[in-house]
Amino acid sequence: MKFLSRKDILLLKRTLSYTISYRVKLFFTLVTVLMRIVFDIVQPLMWGKMIATLFEKDYNSVLISILIIFVLNISQSSIELIKSYLFTSLNSNITYNIKHDIYKKILNLPVKAFDEMRTGDFLSRLEGDAISIANIISNHFLIGFVDILKVIAIGITIFSINIPLSVIIICSFPISFIIFIKFGNILRKKNKEAAQLRDNYYSNIQQSIQGIREIKSLGIKDYSYKLFSTTSNKLKDSTINLNFTSVLSSTLARAMNYLSEAAVMAFGIFLISKGSLSIEYFIAFSSYSHNFSLALMNITKLNSSIQSTMTSLERSFEIIDDMLYSSEKFGCREVKEINGNIKLENVCFKYRDNKKVLNMINFEIKPNKKIAIVGSNGSGKTTIFNLLLRLYDYDSGRILIDDIDIQDFNEQSLRNHISVVLQEPFLFNMSIKDNLSIANLKANEEELINACRSVYIHDFIMSLPEGYDTIIGENGVTLSGGQKQRLAIARALVKKSKIILLDEATSSLDNESQLYLKKTIDEISKKHTVIIIAHKFSSINNVDEIIVIDEGEVVGQDSHKKLISNSKVYRHLYENEFKEFKNVKEVI
Ligand SMILES: Nc1ncnc2c1ncn2[C@@H]1O[C@H](COP(=O)(O)OP(=O)(O)OP(=O)(O)O)[C@@H](O)[C@H]1O
């Protein structure tokens, strides 16, 4: 047998803290609950009284009783309506708050968390688990509290009517208690399994939607459908199994209740025949005994119900309370303006406990310079960007911007001064104007247009029917790769970032786009420090300097001319690209 552990109780306390902001609503909910209990006690007495007066042929009293029962029923329904509204409102508000807390934490999680967890895991916690927590409060705590009050109130009433009959009802309690304790552990385990299957299910859907182009072009729709069927089938079976187990435990406990209710009936009729119990009280008692054993059963079930939802609690609070990953930490220095000088001193970094990805990286980039980083695949170029953006924290060394350690910058300062433009930039499913101004809500129309002119995309935007108000589809599907990159650079300009990091698109750009991008980089580097991860040598012939990375180390920093004669690695990379180009020409 397993009861709630200390950790579980702490989690439940944390859950209860969500009701604090709704204490007025909670108070009125409890008032309606108390009123409902009063009705539950008065009504059976009225029925008993009515039937007793019917036997006595006192029709006036029968009519009065019917009227009272009618008024009671109407009042009870009205109270029930208010109670339902309050319950739903409490439940929805708490779910809303929990979801907010989870979402806020997700935004503050380090990027490492997203490397290790799947998007579906987050969705599953945000959707499935948050709702379960709110259910714990309304369905378990509140209804549990109601049942305790019911047991006390009805218990006092039935014991005052007849003690032996009341003892018979109570006899079923220990057995149903054992049933629920046993099932509680099983349900907790089954719930954990269901939560994992729900994670898989959400991850699978998210991957399929995100990778729909690959699924279609690879011709693997059947495979994707099969994967979906398998995960959703497993989730369906697990949900059916979970619900069946839950209903089975209630049914077994109910069977015990029916047994005690039958015993009450038999013994009650025996007492009536002996003249030691009136019909009026017997009728009232029968109704009480049903309500009483139902409430008693719910109390005994409380442990197993809570056990079964503990998994959701654990999973949600793992995120909310930073138990899986601590939130990102930034310095508190607000740096308003920077010149754009970047210095890396002895920087070492590894992603996990594997080999070093960057080893003793040292270089300096002066303000308003245009620098290219080159190196073979996996040499660590993107990782340098990741560290500059503080998406990951380096293990040793220092990164300085204008001689200030980037760990001292507060989040806003760092994010404002550095922008990154990825190979496939993410554009939001909204107008071009909104996509630009999302980075700086204070920017006026002129600033947006100037930014677009600098990246040579203004004329293209104006050629669109809706101009700057044109909605671009999710991920900017209506734009070409080059247009997306230029728009993303314009966004960085609107943001007024002094440092722009650009991961050049490898092969997706046509010649015209490449030319525009080159012109864009020339233009923006007059006022910004620009670092480009270059995948093609053709695009770096007019940069100020080139940094060569090899297996996580800087093996050269100079102009193209000097590197060609001094750096073996650079020469090798250059010749390789030239060789590939020649091979392609030969094939053509
Ligand atoms: N999130 C990550 N978790 C673990 N290892 C990673 C992660 N990102 C990159 N790596 C590893 O770090 C190394 C450097 O990767 P990085 O992306 O910085 O290389 P790159 O030079 O930008 O490569 P490419 O030219 O192919 O884009 C690689 O071995 C890669 O497998």
Side-chain angles (χ1 to χ4, degrees), residues 111-112 114-116 349-352 354-358 373-386 392 423 503 506 533-535 549 552:
V111 174
K112 188 171 163 243
F114 298 90
D115 287 344
E116 290 169 9
F349 173 74
K350 54 180 179 303
Y351 281 99
R352 289 173 212 175
N354 45 19
K355 80 171 190 49
K356 269 187 189 165
V357 171
L358 295 180
I373 301 183
V374 298
S376 51
N377 289 139
S379 54
K381 303 179 294 289
T382 310
T383 306
I384 293 177
F385 274 16
N386 288 343
Y392 297 86
Q423 288 191 19
D503 194 351
T506 33
I533 293 182
H535 297 279
I549 306 283

